[in-house]
Amino acid sequence: MPKVLLLGYGDIAQRTAPLLVKAGWEVIGACRTPATKTAVEGVELVSADANSEHDLRRLLAHQFDAIVITLTPSNYSRDGYHQGYVVPCRHLQHLMHQLDTPPRILYISSTGVYGQRDGEWLDETSPTVPDTDSGAMLLQAELVILGSPAKVSVLRCSGIYGPGRDRLKQQIQNGSAVISPAWTNRIHSDDVAGFIAYLLLHPKHHQEIYIVSDNEPLLQEDAYARIAQQLGVSIDGLKRTNEVGPRGSKRLSNARMRATGYQLLHPHL
């Protein structure tokens, strides 16, 4: 039975876990507060801090076939992203060098590493020019984990939506959202989990970088209009600006992801 460590056990890991259990994997979920997580049959939860090399060394005393890394910032400052992403990746890189057979690693990152602002089409070969502290730290963490001797795939996810991710819906509903001329890109949380499981179940597919996004980049106005229609409200009263916000403006190609054969559950918003 193959064995996977889900390092970080938030929403995406919790959606991935039952998919792997169903496929016959032994699943270990590691987080700081396992007692607060919902129990899933077939998933063993353990207490561990990704910032602690001691905790990671203890976990890796067990042989894993794969590690899925889903981290969060300790806070939303530059240092918070450094502590939340770069430091754990440095510990892991160091520990991977000490293993005879390093496991496969799937590292969940963000398309925030792309800072482009002119609506251009981007793919995995496009230059990474983050223009935010968070994007810079995410890119640094990617480079660190890619420098390990493990077989690593970095999954750069666009704006994740789905159950429990309601902030934008609330802003559109209460009229506080602001429409800019930016292009936006989205991916449903079930498709992030689905693609993680798909790559582990189909190991012949391996690229160092995958953009994980749906089939249809949308202008922000069009995205908001679709969400508003689902909510039964109008965007006519929302404020508008001519300035592109901190997330930039870009259109992301998911051709490499689709070339693996993965079928999106939510191909568009």
Side-chain angles (χ1 to χ4, degrees):
M1 178 185 292
K3 187 174 182 179
V4 62
L5 171 65
L6 303 180
L7 183 59
Y9 198 69
D11 177 55
I12 297 301
Q14 290 173 61
R15 292 175 185 277
T16 305
L19 302 178
L20 294 174
V21 169
K22 184 178 179 181
W25 284 59
E26 182 179 352
V27 179
I28 310 297
C31 61
R32 285 189 287 265
T33 56
T36 66
K37 307 298 183 181
T38 302
V40 174
E41 187 175 354
V43 179
E44 179 186 351
L45 295 182
V46 299
S47 177
D49 185 344
N51 281 77
S52 165
E53 185 172 336
H54 175 269
D55 284 6
L56 293 175
R57 187 182 300 276
R58 173 172 52 83
L59 285 171
L60 295 177
H62 305 276
Q63 181 67 45
F64 292 99
D65 297 280
I67 300 176
V68 178
I69 306 170
T70 54
L71 302 173
T72 55
S74 55
N75 60 65
Y76 293 102
S77 68
R78 183 182 183 90
D79 184 64
Y81 275 86
H82 184 269
Q83 292 297 323
Y85 291 89
V86 180
V87 171
C89 285
R90 281 184 180 156
H91 291 326
L92 284 165
Q93 186 205 62
H94 176 66
L95 293 169
M96 288 298 115
H97 282 284
Q98 300 174 26
L99 298 178
D100 293 333
T101 307
R104 183 178 186 186
I105 291 178
L106 299 186
Y107 176 70
I108 312 309
S109 186
S110 164
T111 54
V113 299
Y114 299 110
Q116 286 87 336
R117 304 180 64 80
D118 296 323
E120 53 265 69
W121 277 98
L122 305 178
D123 63 17
E124 291 83 356
T125 66
S126 301
T128 47
V129 285
D131 59 354
T132 62
D133 287 342
S134 59
M137 292 299 97
L138 289 166
L139 181 59
Q140 186 175 331
E142 286 186 9
L143 295 172
V144 170
I145 200 65
L146 284 167
S148 84
K151 188 176 183 180
V152 178
S153 289
V154 172
L155 277 55
R156 292 176 177 162
C157 300
S158 61
I160 301 174
Y161 72 99
R165 300 173 187 266
D166 298 324
R167 184 165 172 263
L168 179 56
K169 283 185 176 181
Q170 291 169 359
Q171 290 176 331
I172 291 173
Q173 195 150 30
N174 66 28
S176 65
V178 178
I179 298 173
S180 82
W183 284 92
T184 67
N185 307 267
R186 304 190 185 278
I187 186 72
H188 195 284
S189 50
D190 283 341
D191 275 315
V192 179
F195 189 55
I196 290 169
Y198 184 85
L199 287 179
L200 292 181
L201 299 178
H202 300 82
K204 68 179 181 179
H205 297 296
H206 171 70
Q207 297 282 349
E208 284 196 343
I209 307 290
Y210 286 99
I211 286 175
V212 181
S213 196
D214 71 17
N215 292 342
E216 188 182 16
L218 292 170
L219 285 168
Q220 193 176 77
E221 180 170 5
D222 295 333
Y224 286 12
R226 289 193 189 181
I227 295 169
Q229 185 176 29
Q230 295 164 13
L231 295 171
V233 299
S234 171
I235 64 168
D236 291 346
L238 295 182
K239 293 181 180 177
R240 296 173 181 268
T241 178
N242 290 323
E243 293 186 12
V244 171
R247 296 191 180 187
S249 176
K250 49 195 176 276
R251 286 176 279 180
L252 299 173
S253 168
N254 66 2
R256 181 177 288 184
M257 178 180 73
R258 286 187 289 108
T260 67
Y262 178 71
Q263 298 291 316
L264 283 160
L265 301 169
H266 303 270
H268 51 78
L269 184 64

